[in-house]
């Protein structure tokens, strides 16, 4: 590719930022490069072998003074500097954490969003950015069979795309804080006269809930439990409603103001499902008047398939829900769908209008200004990629993707159960399988943990696959388990079979 950068426009003494001809030429080259990357990704070691500082040292310490760099030099550095420092999340043998699905329409939707370069902070700053997003949220609510109360079909509900589930939980908590104080008639009370607010989640909840408490000022750090109540779980690792009811009652008796319950629909470690209906009932029985939020970051998108909708039973009693198409629904990061049945509470908590943001459309009350539904002011046109994804794959294609992940996990589960060197550590749920090496005669739990971890390290170092671990409660202790999270965009039966073969071979080397 030739160097097409023309240098500064001398009349205006600034570079020509967008050169349509260059955009087209260089864009074709970049997409071709990405096509080659994805064609070869399965041949690469999944986990990056870069050592600390390798990428840093391959980069010049100073930026170029003159913009003379040829596109071919930039693309060549993607090959030589960047890709060796990548862990390949789109590799079909990536089974760590949860997947971060990319797809052709997802990638092109991101490109379209960047290419249009609009800010959708107000309806007026790009009506299409807001209204396409509103339509996507309602499309997805229909596809997931969510209650109308969480959609724009209801006068008080609606949805928005947040960057991440962490942000969704934080905005839900901020709305909860204000609404709870308002309902208690304390919004205008001096801060020193207000009771401490209390937040509840299962002991298996994602760390983002604690982080939200820290950001919102309910906790000083991850170990500060003065206002945060991790609720014990049952044998299936789901939050115990009876324990929740008692915790709320204790707080009310001691003068705390219960404010926020975060239920997890698919915990990170083992995909345990907190029982939404029973949680809502326990909260009501205890006299809870705060906000119920459901974090379904990974698992929630599976509700696109009718057979998995049981997990959201009771969601009609919740104030908000979040789930991430950017994990398991073929939509490039970042795309978290956040729904609430009380959008007024959200806007009341997050709205602040300096003079320069005032405009006729907002004042008319006839439009949605998404800046009031999120933390930042500016916002990307993220709905485009979801629109592209749904239109290209259709709901049927998305269901096929989810069901394939579940089938592959069932296959793996059947192999683990049949092999007495391993044990399942939690029931397989959807496409997540948690397993570990079985204890040898006379071996302590710590020794089995160490062998299991060593097996994971050897597998990850081999480059053949990548998986990560978790620690799950077990009896009166805790056990290290390996998590194989299936559901990558490119993962098929042959990849899972190869992964299982690699696990067997590595285990035999012990
Ligand atoms: N909640 C749950 C249950 C998760 O599993 C995760 C991540 O895996 C998160 C929240 C955080 O997701 P995000 O990266 O979108 O903030």
């Amino acid at each position: 590719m030739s160097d097409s950068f023309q240098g500064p426009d001398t009349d205006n003494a600034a570079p020509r930022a967008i050169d349509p001809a260059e955009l087209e030429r260089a864009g074709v080259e970049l997409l071709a490069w990405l096509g080659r990357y994805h064609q070869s990704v399965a041949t690469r070691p999944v986990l990056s072998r870069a050592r600390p500082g390798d990428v840093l040292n391959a980069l010049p310490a100073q930026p170029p003074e003159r913009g003379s760099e040829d596109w071919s030099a930039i693309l060549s550095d993607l090959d030589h500097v960047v890709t060796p420092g990548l862990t390949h999340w789109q590799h079909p043998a990536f089974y760590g954490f949860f997947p971060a699905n990319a797809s052709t329409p997802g990638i092109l939707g991101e490109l379209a969003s960047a290419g249009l370069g609009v800010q959708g902070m107000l309806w007026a700053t790009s009506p299409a950015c807001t209204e396409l997003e509103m339509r996507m949220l309602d499309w997805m609510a229909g596809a997931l069979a969510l209650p109308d109360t969480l959609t724009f079909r209801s006068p008080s509900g609606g949805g928005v795309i947040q960057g991440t589930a962490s942000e969704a939980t934080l905005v839900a908590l901020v709305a909860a804080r204000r609404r709870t104080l308002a309902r208690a008639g304390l919004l205008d009370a001096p801060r020193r006269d207000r009771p401490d607010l209390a937040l509840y989640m299962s002991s298996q909840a994602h760390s983002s809930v604690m982080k939200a408490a820290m950001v919102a000022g309910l906790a000083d750090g991850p170990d500060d439990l003065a206002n945060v109540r991790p609720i014990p779980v049952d044998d299936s690792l789901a939050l115990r409603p009876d324990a929740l009811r008692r915790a709320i009652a204790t707080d009310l008796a001691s003068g705390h103001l219960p404010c926020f319950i975060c239920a997890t629909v698919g915990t990170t470690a083992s995909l345990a499902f907190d029982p939404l209906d029973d949680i809502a009932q326990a909260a009501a029985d205890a006299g809870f008047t705060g906000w119920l939020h459901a974090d379904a970051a990974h698992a929630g998108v599976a509700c696109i398939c009718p057979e998995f909708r049981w997990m959201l039973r009771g969601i009609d009693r919740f104030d908000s829900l979040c789930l991430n198409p950017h994990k398991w629904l073929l939509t490039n990061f970042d795309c978290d769908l956040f729904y609430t049945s009380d959008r007024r509470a959200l806007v009341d908590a997050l709205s602040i209008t300096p003079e320069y943001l005032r405009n006729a459309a907002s004042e008319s009350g006839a439009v949605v200004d998404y800046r009031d539904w999120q933390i930042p002011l500016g916002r990307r046109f993220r709905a485009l990629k979801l629109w592209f994804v749904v239109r290209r794959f259709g709901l049927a294609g998305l269901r096929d993707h989810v069901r394939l992940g579940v089938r592959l996990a069932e296959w793996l589960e059947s192999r683990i159960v049949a092999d007495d060197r391993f044990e399942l550590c939690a029931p397989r749920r959807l496409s997540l399988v948690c397993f570990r090496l079985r204890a040898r005669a006379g071996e302590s739990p710590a020794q089995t943990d160490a062998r299991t971890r060593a097996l994971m390290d050897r597998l990850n170092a081999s480059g053949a696959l990548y998986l990560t671990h978790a620690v799950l409660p077990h009896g009166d202790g805790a056990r290290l388990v390996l998590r194989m999270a299936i559901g990558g965009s490119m993962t098929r039966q042959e990849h899972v079979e190869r992964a299982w073969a690699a696990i067997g071979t590595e285990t035999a080397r012990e």
Side-chain angles (χ1 to χ4, degrees), residues 41-219:
V41 72
T43 64
R44 300 168 191 245
V46 189
L47 182 65
S48 172
R49 292 182 169 155
R51 288 155 306 173
D54 277 359
V55 179
L56 210 50
N57 292 331
L59 294 164
Q62 303 298 332
E65 178 58 30
R66 298 192 63 77
S68 60
E69 293 239 36
D70 197 283
W71 275 108
S72 59
I74 295 172
L75 291 190
S76 157
D77 281 351
L78 283 182
D79 280 320
H80 298 109
V81 180
V82 175
T83 49
L86 294 182
T87 289
H88 300 286
W89 283 71
Q90 303 312 317
H91 195 299
F94 183 103
Y95 304 108
F97 309 104
F98 283 129
N101 283 179
S103 66
T104 304
I107 294 165
L108 295 178
E110 278 284 286
L111 183 61
S113 169
L116 294 173
V118 302
Q119 282 282 350
M121 55 209 194
L122 300 167
W123 177 88
T125 59
S126 269
C129 188
T130 296
E131 294 190 8
L132 181 62
E133 187 161 327
M134 292 170 72
R135 181 61 81 220
M136 284 310 100
L137 268 293
D138 274 3
W139 269 17
M140 294 310 296
L144 299 161
L146 301 183
D148 272 358
T149 46
L150 292 172
T151 70
F152 287 105
R153 284 187 286 280
S154 128
S156 56
V160 60
I161 300 180
Q162 304 280 352
T164 59
S166 307
E167 291 159 73
T169 300
L170 176 58
V171 297
L173 175 57
V174 170
R177 179 175 58 191
R178 193 175 195 284
R179 196 182 72 180
T180 307
L181 288 169
R183 283 186 177 170
L186 292 166
L187 216 43
D188 299 324
R191 279 172 196 275
R192 63 176 181 282
D193 295 343
R194 290 183 189 166
D196 285 330
L197 301 174
L199 175 157
Y200 310 81
M201 80 270 202
S202 105
S203 58
Q204 293 288 301
H206 190 262
S207 56
S208 53
V209 186
M210 190 62 186
K211 199 180 225 183
M214 288 156 58
V215 176
L218 270 72

Side-chain angles (χ1 to χ4, degrees), residues 98 164-166 206 208 264 266 268 295 297 324 326-327:
F98 283 129
T164 59
S166 307
H206 190 262
S208 53
T264 310
T268 313
D295 171 7
N324 288 357
H326 74 223
K327 283 184 161 59

